[in-house]
Amino acid sequence: MNEPENTLARPAGPGAEADPQDNRRQVLYWRLLARLFDPEEQASLESASLAVVEDIGLPPALLDPGASVDSVVQRHPELAAEFDGLMVPEPDADTDVDDTRDRQAEVRRAALVSKVLLNVFSTGTGAVSAGQLARWQSDAGWLERALGCTPGDLRGGRTGAGRGVGPTGTGGNGATPDLSRLIPQLGPELGALEGDLVKRMHLREVLADPALAARLTPSMSLIEQLLRDKNNLSGVALANAKSLIRRFVDEVAEVLRTQVEKATVGAIDRSVPPKRVFRNLDLDRTIWKNLTNYSPEEERLYVDRLYYRHTARKTTPQRLVVVVDQSGSMVDSMVNCTILASIFAGLPKVDVHLIAYDTQALDLTPWVHDPFETLLRTNLGGGTDGTVAMALAQPKIAEPRNTVVVWISDFYEWRGEPLYESMAALHRSGVKFIPVGSVTSSGRGSVNPWFRERFKDLGTPVLSGHIRKLVHELKTFLT
């Protein structure tokens, strides 16, 4: 069997003897592969790996699939620093170094890498408890830290927190597998694993027990399940579900609010006279403009005129109509856009309306300032008929040139042609029409190619689904 490049030992040259450190590293990675593809342990690999781990001074708990990374680090705090950035390549590493200490370090990294990967990607089968889900989420956080990201970033799609991905595709001196190149693909995969664990969990029983519910970590997968099942919950279970939804909404809102605040600062409005107060005094300009009044004899500057900074921002009253497909494939979009709409609704002089639809449309505008209450009124699932949402949206457009319509959907519609014609009519009337394929944390999502081509021809191409792109697009219209 051929060895994967940069994963197992490098092939020795002709006549060269196998390096004992390479052999040790191979043992650890072969054990990892064996356990990933077959949960049954291979006795020879297990005993050999145990000997390696003990010989290099690492705790045997690293080989225990039932032990979380948290539990290992709690007993051995010095390992926390080694897990951080474990799979991030060193920028100027020499891949040809043949130093004994470096090869020993490779073996040590291999043992730590194997622990993180096995705990995250070997999820087993059958029912999952709240404790098991919490442990997996914690281990996934350690994988994100090993890749140079903040825990939650990969599953949330925020992949910009890495510590410098090198061009070689290797970690350290070339032997530790570098997954940093795969960060864009790893995020959705981790999200899918988390979603599968949530589905395998007896959620209603967990929610009915406050102690177990408190161990749940809010995630998009969990919120989706709670929103789908909320009508079947009551009493303590419903209260715990609402608490989890609110926690998640508050966490996401904090991130989105920061993005909106950065994006929606209007240009200075110089048509408005500056307010003549001390805090607006432009001292440098005042001195410069009055230098001709300087008296060398008296060594004194006489000021004829004070100059003030302009601080007024250009703000124009705008109407924002957000239409969100709440069918089963658009859960992430529904959550993100509900929160985003509430943030924009809190801005001065922005009139926000929110409509959700599947085969029926629901005007959520009365609750748009509270995303938690809005989400509780959604009904995820069902088919997709955008014409019913258009019937609610059109009467809200009083001044087309002062209105932006954001339509978020995968555009797999029952009545595609009539819906497209009404959208094209909005665009021709002067409405700023923004079709969005999805608004997910990862940016993944498919769009009906029929709609994609027609929007392109119309001059309003479908916006890629990352929420930061939507915030940036709205900035140009609302400021």
PDB file of all heavy atoms in Angstrom, residues 282-307:
ATOM      1  N   ASP A 282     -11.695  72.076  15.449  1.00  0.00           N
ATOM      2  CA  ASP A 282     -10.556  71.584  14.675  1.00  0.00           C
ATOM      3  C   ASP A 282      -9.375  72.488  14.998  1.00  0.00           C
ATOM      4  O   ASP A 282      -9.145  73.521  14.352  1.00  0.00           O
ATOM      5  CB  ASP A 282     -10.884  71.623  13.182  1.00  0.00           C
ATOM      6  CG  ASP A 282      -9.838  70.895  12.348  1.00  0.00           C
ATOM      7  OD1 ASP A 282      -8.688  70.767  12.827  1.00  0.00           O
ATOM      8  OD2 ASP A 282     -10.153  70.477  11.214  1.00  0.00           O
ATOM      9  N   LEU A 283      -8.609  72.111  16.023  1.00  0.00           N
ATOM     10  CA  LEU A 283      -7.544  72.966  16.535  1.00  0.00           C
ATOM     11  C   LEU A 283      -6.423  73.178  15.512  1.00  0.00           C
ATOM     12  O   LEU A 283      -5.941  74.294  15.319  1.00  0.00           O
ATOM     13  CB  LEU A 283      -6.978  72.365  17.821  1.00  0.00           C
ATOM     14  CG  LEU A 283      -6.018  73.248  18.630  1.00  0.00           C
ATOM     15  CD1 LEU A 283      -6.692  74.554  19.032  1.00  0.00           C
ATOM     16  CD2 LEU A 283      -5.530  72.492  19.866  1.00  0.00           C
ATOM     17  N   ASP A 284      -6.021  72.105  14.825  1.00  0.00           N
ATOM     18  CA  ASP A 284      -4.937  72.226  13.841  1.00  0.00           C
ATOM     19  C   ASP A 284      -5.303  73.183  12.719  1.00  0.00           C
ATOM     20  O   ASP A 284      -4.496  74.038  12.310  1.00  0.00           O
ATOM     21  CB  ASP A 284      -4.603  70.854  13.253  1.00  0.00           C
ATOM     22  CG  ASP A 284      -3.940  69.942  14.268  1.00  0.00           C
ATOM     23  OD1 ASP A 284      -3.416  70.470  15.270  1.00  0.00           O
ATOM     24  OD2 ASP A 284      -3.943  68.716  14.066  1.00  0.00           O
ATOM     25  N   ARG A 285      -6.530  73.053  12.203  1.00  0.00           N
ATOM     26  CA  ARG A 285      -6.958  73.922  11.105  1.00  0.00           C
ATOM     27  C   ARG A 285      -7.099  75.370  11.577  1.00  0.00           C
ATOM     28  O   ARG A 285      -6.786  76.320  10.860  1.00  0.00           O
ATOM     29  CB  ARG A 285      -8.285  73.415  10.536  1.00  0.00           C
ATOM     30  CG  ARG A 285      -8.684  74.110   9.239  1.00  0.00           C
ATOM     31  CD  ARG A 285      -9.932  73.488   8.667  1.00  0.00           C
ATOM     32  NE  ARG A 285     -10.353  74.182   7.462  1.00  0.00           N
ATOM     33  CZ  ARG A 285     -11.617  74.390   7.125  1.00  0.00           C
ATOM     34  NH1 ARG A 285     -12.585  73.946   7.914  1.00  0.00           N
ATOM     35  NH2 ARG A 285     -11.920  75.022   6.017  1.00  0.00           N
ATOM     36  N   THR A 286      -7.593  75.533  12.801  1.00  0.00           N
ATOM     37  CA  THR A 286      -7.754  76.882  13.359  1.00  0.00           C
ATOM     38  C   THR A 286      -6.402  77.590  13.457  1.00  0.00           C
ATOM     39  O   THR A 286      -6.266  78.768  13.085  1.00  0.00           O
ATOM     40  CB  THR A 286      -8.418  76.799  14.749  1.00  0.00           C
ATOM     41  OG1 THR A 286      -9.733  76.250  14.597  1.00  0.00           O
ATOM     42  CG2 THR A 286      -8.518  78.172  15.390  1.00  0.00           C
ATOM     43  N   ILE A 287      -5.387  76.888  13.937  1.00  0.00           N
ATOM     44  CA  ILE A 287      -4.054  77.491  14.055  1.00  0.00           C
ATOM     45  C   ILE A 287      -3.497  77.818  12.671  1.00  0.00           C
ATOM     46  O   ILE A 287      -2.964  78.914  12.433  1.00  0.00           O
ATOM     47  CB  ILE A 287      -3.103  76.537  14.812  1.00  0.00           C
ATOM     48  CG1 ILE A 287      -3.558  76.393  16.268  1.00  0.00           C
ATOM     49  CG2 ILE A 287      -1.667  77.025  14.737  1.00  0.00           C
ATOM     50  CD1 ILE A 287      -2.794  75.365  17.061  1.00  0.00           C
ATOM     51  N   TRP A 288      -3.629  76.855  11.738  1.00  0.00           N
ATOM     52  CA  TRP A 288      -3.077  77.051  10.393  1.00  0.00           C
ATOM     53  C   TRP A 288      -3.709  78.267   9.697  1.00  0.00           C
ATOM     54  O   TRP A 288      -3.018  79.090   9.096  1.00  0.00           O
ATOM     55  CB  TRP A 288      -3.309  75.792   9.579  1.00  0.00           C
ATOM     56  CG  TRP A 288      -2.861  75.894   8.146  1.00  0.00           C
ATOM     57  CD1 TRP A 288      -3.642  76.064   7.050  1.00  0.00           C
ATOM     58  CD2 TRP A 288      -1.520  75.857   7.666  1.00  0.00           C
ATOM     59  NE1 TRP A 288      -2.891  76.121   5.906  1.00  0.00           N
ATOM     60  CE2 TRP A 288      -1.560  76.003   6.256  1.00  0.00           C
ATOM     61  CE3 TRP A 288      -0.276  75.731   8.280  1.00  0.00           C
ATOM     62  CZ2 TRP A 288      -0.427  76.013   5.466  1.00  0.00           C
ATOM     63  CZ3 TRP A 288       0.861  75.729   7.497  1.00  0.00           C
ATOM     64  CH2 TRP A 288       0.780  75.876   6.101  1.00  0.00           C
ATOM     65  N   LYS A 289      -5.030  78.384   9.800  1.00  0.00           N
ATOM     66  CA  LYS A 289      -5.733  79.467   9.118  1.00  0.00           C
ATOM     67  C   LYS A 289      -5.454  80.839   9.749  1.00  0.00           C
ATOM     68  O   LYS A 289      -5.655  81.875   9.105  1.00  0.00           O
ATOM     69  CB  LYS A 289      -7.250  79.199   9.138  1.00  0.00           C
ATOM     70  CG  LYS A 289      -7.684  78.035   8.274  1.00  0.00           C
ATOM     71  CD  LYS A 289      -7.600  78.389   6.795  1.00  0.00           C
ATOM     72  CE  LYS A 289      -8.217  77.304   5.934  1.00  0.00           C
ATOM     73  NZ  LYS A 289      -8.135  77.652   4.488  1.00  0.00           N
ATOM     74  N   ASN A 290      -5.008  80.868  10.985  1.00  0.00           N
ATOM     75  CA  ASN A 290      -4.775  82.143  11.670  1.00  0.00           C
ATOM     76  C   ASN A 290      -3.299  82.468  11.857  1.00  0.00           C
ATOM     77  O   ASN A 290      -2.949  83.395  12.600  1.00  0.00           O
ATOM     78  CB  ASN A 290      -5.467  82.125  13.046  1.00  0.00           C
ATOM     79  CG  ASN A 290      -6.977  82.195  12.947  1.00  0.00           C
ATOM     80  OD1 ASN A 290      -7.549  83.279  12.771  1.00  0.00           O
ATOM     81  ND2 ASN A 290      -7.620  81.044  13.047  1.00  0.00           N
ATOM     82  N   LEU A 291      -2.411  81.753  11.177  1.00  0.00           N
ATOM     83  CA  LEU A 291      -0.981  82.007  11.330  1.00  0.00           C
ATOM     84  C   LEU A 291      -0.583  83.416  10.908  1.00  0.00           C
ATOM     85  O   LEU A 291       0.402  83.986  11.413  1.00  0.00           O
ATOM     86  CB  LEU A 291      -0.182  80.973  10.520  1.00  0.00           C
ATOM     87  CG  LEU A 291       0.019  79.602  11.181  1.00  0.00           C
ATOM     88  CD1 LEU A 291       0.771  78.679  10.253  1.00  0.00           C
ATOM     89  CD2 LEU A 291       0.739  79.737  12.513  1.00  0.00           C
ATOM     90  N   THR A 292      -1.318  83.995   9.962  1.00  0.00           N
ATOM     91  CA  THR A 292      -0.994  85.370   9.517  1.00  0.00           C
ATOM     92  C   THR A 292      -1.196  86.385  10.629  1.00  0.00           C
ATOM     93  O   THR A 292      -0.728  87.527  10.537  1.00  0.00           O
ATOM     94  CB  THR A 292      -1.867  85.765   8.310  1.00  0.00           C
ATOM     95  OG1 THR A 292      -3.239  85.596   8.653  1.00  0.00           O
ATOM     96  CG2 THR A 292      -1.525  84.895   7.097  1.00  0.00           C
ATOM     97  N   ASN A 293      -1.911  85.993  11.677  1.00  0.00           N
ATOM     98  CA  ASN A 293      -2.171  86.911  12.790  1.00  0.00           C
ATOM     99  C   ASN A 293      -1.163  86.740  13.925  1.00  0.00           C
ATOM    100  O   ASN A 293      -1.361  87.286  15.024  1.00  0.00           O
ATOM    101  CB  ASN A 293      -3.582  86.682  13.348  1.00  0.00           C
ATOM    102  CG  ASN A 293      -4.651  86.932  12.314  1.00  0.00           C
ATOM    103  OD1 ASN A 293      -4.493  87.809  11.452  1.00  0.00           O
ATOM    104  ND2 ASN A 293      -5.735  86.180  12.387  1.00  0.00           N
ATOM    105  N   TYR A 294      -0.102  85.987  13.660  1.00  0.00           N
ATOM    106  CA  TYR A 294       0.879  85.767  14.722  1.00  0.00           C
ATOM    107  C   TYR A 294       1.730  87.022  14.929  1.00  0.00           C
ATOM    108  O   TYR A 294       2.207  87.639  13.974  1.00  0.00           O
ATOM    109  CB  TYR A 294       1.771  84.576  14.368  1.00  0.00           C
ATOM    110  CG  TYR A 294       2.839  84.302  15.403  1.00  0.00           C
ATOM    111  CD1 TYR A 294       2.484  83.780  16.653  1.00  0.00           C
ATOM    112  CD2 TYR A 294       4.175  84.579  15.137  1.00  0.00           C
ATOM    113  CE1 TYR A 294       3.456  83.529  17.607  1.00  0.00           C
ATOM    114  CE2 TYR A 294       5.150  84.331  16.100  1.00  0.00           C
ATOM    115  CZ  TYR A 294       4.788  83.799  17.336  1.00  0.00           C
ATOM    116  OH  TYR A 294       5.759  83.558  18.282  1.00  0.00           O
ATOM    117  N   SER A 295       1.935  87.411  16.182  1.00  0.00           N
ATOM    118  CA  SER A 295       2.739  88.583  16.539  1.00  0.00           C
ATOM    119  C   SER A 295       4.056  88.116  17.136  1.00  0.00           C
ATOM    120  O   SER A 295       4.087  87.639  18.290  1.00  0.00           O
ATOM    121  CB  SER A 295       1.984  89.459  17.547  1.00  0.00           C
ATOM    122  OG  SER A 295       2.837  90.481  18.022  1.00  0.00           O
ATOM    123  N   PRO A 296       5.176  88.271  16.354  1.00  0.00           N
ATOM    124  CA  PRO A 296       6.483  87.823  16.874  1.00  0.00           C
ATOM    125  C   PRO A 296       6.890  88.596  18.125  1.00  0.00           C
ATOM    126  O   PRO A 296       7.520  88.041  19.027  1.00  0.00           O
ATOM    127  CB  PRO A 296       7.444  88.110  15.714  1.00  0.00           C
ATOM    128  CG  PRO A 296       6.572  88.202  14.506  1.00  0.00           C
ATOM    129  CD  PRO A 296       5.276  88.777  14.985  1.00  0.00           C
ATOM    130  N   GLU A 297       6.574  89.907  18.155  1.00  0.00           N
ATOM    131  CA  GLU A 297       6.973  90.703  19.299  1.00  0.00           C
ATOM    132  C   GLU A 297       6.307  90.203  20.584  1.00  0.00           C
ATOM    133  O   GLU A 297       6.932  90.101  21.636  1.00  0.00           O
ATOM    134  CB  GLU A 297       6.607  92.183  19.084  1.00  0.00           C
ATOM    135  CG  GLU A 297       7.379  92.860  17.961  1.00  0.00           C
ATOM    136  CD  GLU A 297       6.793  92.525  16.599  1.00  0.00           C
ATOM    137  OE1 GLU A 297       5.673  91.954  16.577  1.00  0.00           O
ATOM    138  OE2 GLU A 297       7.437  92.813  15.572  1.00  0.00           O
ATOM    139  N   GLU A 298       5.025  89.912  20.461  1.00  0.00           N
ATOM    140  CA  GLU A 298       4.282  89.464  21.646  1.00  0.00           C
ATOM    141  C   GLU A 298       4.315  87.946  21.825  1.00  0.00           C
ATOM    142  O   GLU A 298       3.887  87.431  22.860  1.00  0.00           O
ATOM    143  CB  GLU A 298       2.822  89.914  21.535  1.00  0.00           C
ATOM    144  CG  GLU A 298       2.636  91.408  21.444  1.00  0.00           C
ATOM    145  CD  GLU A 298       1.176  91.771  21.323  1.00  0.00           C
ATOM    146  OE1 GLU A 298       0.422  91.515  22.285  1.00  0.00           O
ATOM    147  OE2 GLU A 298       0.789  92.288  20.249  1.00  0.00           O
ATOM    148  N   GLU A 299       4.834  87.256  20.753  1.00  0.00           N
ATOM    149  CA  GLU A 299       4.821  85.787  20.767  1.00  0.00           C
ATOM    150  C   GLU A 299       3.416  85.275  21.087  1.00  0.00           C
ATOM    151  O   GLU A 299       3.199  84.419  21.946  1.00  0.00           O
ATOM    152  CB  GLU A 299       5.831  85.252  21.779  1.00  0.00           C
ATOM    153  CG  GLU A 299       7.265  85.574  21.427  1.00  0.00           C
ATOM    154  CD  GLU A 299       8.260  84.933  22.386  1.00  0.00           C
ATOM    155  OE1 GLU A 299       7.820  84.413  23.438  1.00  0.00           O
ATOM    156  OE2 GLU A 299       9.462  84.940  22.082  1.00  0.00           O
ATOM    157  N   ARG A 300       2.471  85.827  20.344  1.00  0.00           N
ATOM    158  CA  ARG A 300       1.056  85.485  20.597  1.00  0.00           C
ATOM    159  C   ARG A 300       0.336  85.339  19.261  1.00  0.00           C
ATOM    160  O   ARG A 300       0.606  86.089  18.320  1.00  0.00           O
ATOM    161  CB  ARG A 300       0.406  86.559  21.448  1.00  0.00           C
ATOM    162  CG  ARG A 300      -1.063  86.313  21.762  1.00  0.00           C
ATOM    163  CD  ARG A 300      -1.576  87.339  22.748  1.00  0.00           C
ATOM    164  NE  ARG A 300      -0.877  87.241  24.038  1.00  0.00           N
ATOM    165  CZ  ARG A 300      -1.143  88.010  25.087  1.00  0.00           C
ATOM    166  NH1 ARG A 300      -2.081  88.941  24.986  1.00  0.00           N
ATOM    167  NH2 ARG A 300      -0.474  87.865  26.208  1.00  0.00           N
ATOM    168  N   LEU A 301      -0.568  84.387  19.205  1.00  0.00           N
ATOM    169  CA  LEU A 301      -1.384  84.165  18.008  1.00  0.00           C
ATOM    170  C   LEU A 301      -2.793  84.693  18.273  1.00  0.00           C
ATOM    171  O   LEU A 301      -3.463  84.281  19.232  1.00  0.00           O
ATOM    172  CB  LEU A 301      -1.458  82.669  17.663  1.00  0.00           C
ATOM    173  CG  LEU A 301      -2.332  82.297  16.465  1.00  0.00           C
ATOM    174  CD1 LEU A 301      -1.730  82.860  15.165  1.00  0.00           C
ATOM    175  CD2 LEU A 301      -2.498  80.782  16.370  1.00  0.00           C
ATOM    176  N   TYR A 302      -3.228  85.640  17.409  1.00  0.00           N
ATOM    177  CA  TYR A 302      -4.575  86.188  17.536  1.00  0.00           C
ATOM    178  C   TYR A 302      -5.502  85.425  16.585  1.00  0.00           C
ATOM    179  O   TYR A 302      -5.227  85.318  15.388  1.00  0.00           O
ATOM    180  CB  TYR A 302      -4.571  87.681  17.192  1.00  0.00           C
ATOM    181  CG  TYR A 302      -3.855  88.496  18.237  1.00  0.00           C
ATOM    182  CD1 TYR A 302      -2.501  88.780  18.092  1.00  0.00           C
ATOM    183  CD2 TYR A 302      -4.538  88.956  19.356  1.00  0.00           C
ATOM    184  CE1 TYR A 302      -1.821  89.525  19.049  1.00  0.00           C
ATOM    185  CE2 TYR A 302      -3.868  89.696  20.328  1.00  0.00           C
ATOM    186  CZ  TYR A 302      -2.516  89.969  20.176  1.00  0.00           C
ATOM    187  OH  TYR A 302      -1.868  90.691  21.135  1.00  0.00           O
ATOM    188  N   VAL A 303      -6.567  84.895  17.136  1.00  0.00           N
ATOM    189  CA  VAL A 303      -7.500  84.060  16.365  1.00  0.00           C
ATOM    190  C   VAL A 303      -8.706  84.888  15.964  1.00  0.00           C
ATOM    191  O   VAL A 303      -9.452  85.393  16.830  1.00  0.00           O
ATOM    192  CB  VAL A 303      -7.934  82.831  17.187  1.00  0.00           C
ATOM    193  CG1 VAL A 303      -8.954  82.008  16.407  1.00  0.00           C
ATOM    194  CG2 VAL A 303      -6.710  81.990  17.551  1.00  0.00           C
ATOM    195  N   ASP A 304      -8.878  85.032  14.649  1.00  0.00           N
ATOM    196  CA  ASP A 304     -10.045  85.752  14.138  1.00  0.00           C
ATOM    197  C   ASP A 304     -11.243  84.829  13.970  1.00  0.00           C
ATOM    198  O   ASP A 304     -12.388  85.266  14.086  1.00  0.00           O
ATOM    199  CB  ASP A 304      -9.715  86.383  12.770  1.00  0.00           C
ATOM    200  CG  ASP A 304      -8.756  87.558  12.914  1.00  0.00           C
ATOM    201  OD1 ASP A 304      -8.715  88.147  14.008  1.00  0.00           O
ATOM    202  OD2 ASP A 304      -8.053  87.860  11.934  1.00  0.00           O
ATOM    203  N   ARG A 305     -10.945  83.548  13.650  1.00  0.00           N
ATOM    204  CA  ARG A 305     -12.051  82.634  13.337  1.00  0.00           C
ATOM    205  C   ARG A 305     -11.718  81.230  13.830  1.00  0.00           C
ATOM    206  O   ARG A 305     -10.587  80.766  13.708  1.00  0.00           O
ATOM    207  CB  ARG A 305     -12.292  82.610  11.826  1.00  0.00           C
ATOM    208  CG  ARG A 305     -13.416  81.662  11.408  1.00  0.00           C
ATOM    209  CD  ARG A 305     -13.567  81.635   9.907  1.00  0.00           C
ATOM    210  NE  ARG A 305     -14.547  80.629   9.502  1.00  0.00           N
ATOM    211  CZ  ARG A 305     -14.802  80.302   8.236  1.00  0.00           C
ATOM    212  NH1 ARG A 305     -14.166  80.937   7.246  1.00  0.00           N
ATOM    213  NH2 ARG A 305     -15.697  79.388   7.959  1.00  0.00           N
ATOM    214  N   LEU A 306     -12.716  80.609  14.415  1.00  0.00           N
ATOM    215  CA  LEU A 306     -12.589  79.211  14.846  1.00  0.00           C
ATOM    216  C   LEU A 306     -13.137  78.290  13.752  1.00  0.00           C
ATOM    217  O   LEU A 306     -14.122  78.611  13.090  1.00  0.00           O
ATOM    218  CB  LEU A 306     -13.356  78.973  16.150  1.00  0.00           C
ATOM    219  CG  LEU A 306     -12.866  79.748  17.379  1.00  0.00           C
ATOM    220  CD1 LEU A 306     -13.811  79.521  18.550  1.00  0.00           C
ATOM    221  CD2 LEU A 306     -11.440  79.321  17.744  1.00  0.00           C
ATOM    222  N   TYR A 307     -12.492  77.134  13.597  1.00  0.00           N
ATOM    223  CA  TYR A 307     -12.930  76.156  12.596  1.00  0.00           C
ATOM    224  C   TYR A 307     -13.367  74.872  13.308  1.00  0.00           C
ATOM    225  O   TYR A 307     -12.700  74.418  14.257  1.00  0.00           O
ATOM    226  CB  TYR A 307     -11.807  75.851  11.600  1.00  0.00           C
ATOM    227  CG  TYR A 307     -11.494  77.018  10.694  1.00  0.00           C
ATOM    228  CD1 TYR A 307     -10.640  78.045  11.116  1.00  0.00           C
ATOM    229  CD2 TYR A 307     -12.063  77.110   9.432  1.00  0.00           C
ATOM    230  CE1 TYR A 307     -10.358  79.133  10.300  1.00  0.00           C
ATOM    231  CE2 TYR A 307     -11.785  78.198   8.607  1.00  0.00           C
ATOM    232  CZ  TYR A 307     -10.943  79.199   9.045  1.00  0.00           C
ATOM    233  OH  TYR A 307     -10.674  80.258   8.225  1.00  0.00           O
TER     234      TYR A 307
END
